[in-house]
Amino acid sequence: MLLQFIDEQCNPKQYKYKILDVLEFNSTRKRMSVILEREDGKIVLYCKGADSIIAARMSKQDIQSKEWTNTVELLEKYASVGLRTLVLAKKELT
């Protein structure tokens, strides 16, 4: 799989990944996950789901971060005008 995106400095980036597993969305987990192997051999889990589901699995340090506080404010703003929101999380596995 080839992933192309623009980084924070607006530079194009391109990465190759091997899909190791896909955990489909279901009503019990209330999230979807994919486990990938990067070109450098690192294994990464990406997960998408509702903010409450993802937040329940975040560390206290991450929950208290300014980034998460800002994200929650934006999520609440979007929800107040009827928009559906999802959160994407990433974790490198060892």
Side-chain angles (χ1 to χ4, degrees), residues 41-73:
K42 290 186 179 179
I43 308 296
V44 182
L45 169 90
Y46 289 94
C47 182
K48 73 173 182 174
D51 58 306
S52 59
I53 299 300
I54 300 299
R57 286 148 184 84
M58 292 172 62
S59 70
K60 285 185 180 183
Q61 180 181 357
D62 287 338
I63 289 285
Q64 296 170 348
S65 71
K66 183 67 174 164
E67 291 87 357
W68 183 248
T69 302
N70 291 342
T71 300
V72 169
E73 289 174 7

Side-chain angles (χ1 to χ4, degrees), residues 2-89:
L2 185 64
L3 175 66
Q4 298 176 317
F5 67 96
I6 304 295
D7 69 12
E8 296 86 8
Q9 290 78 34
C10 296
N11 299 313
K13 297 286 184 179
Q14 187 173 19
Y15 293 101
K16 289 182 183 176
Y17 289 93
K18 179 180 176 186
I19 299 174
L20 300 178
D21 201 2
V22 176
L23 303 163
E24 297 290 341
F25 178 89
N26 65 46
S27 58
T28 303
R29 293 181 70 239
K30 297 183 181 174
R31 62 192 185 277
M32 178 184 174
S33 304
V34 62
I35 301 172
L36 307 172
E37 182 177 2
R38 298 187 334 194
E39 289 177 287
D40 61 6
K42 290 186 179 179
I43 308 296
V44 182
L45 169 90
Y46 289 94
C47 182
K48 73 173 182 174
D51 58 306
S52 59
I53 299 300
I54 300 299
R57 286 148 184 84
M58 292 172 62
S59 70
K60 285 185 180 183
Q61 180 181 357
D62 287 338
I63 289 285
Q64 296 170 348
S65 71
K66 183 67 174 164
E67 291 87 357
W68 183 248
T69 302
N70 291 342
T71 300
V72 169
E73 289 174 7
L74 289 171
L75 290 169
E76 289 171 353
K77 179 179 177 182
Y78 298 151
S80 72
V81 294
L83 297 175
R84 181 171 177 237
T85 60
L86 291 172
V87 176
L88 179 66

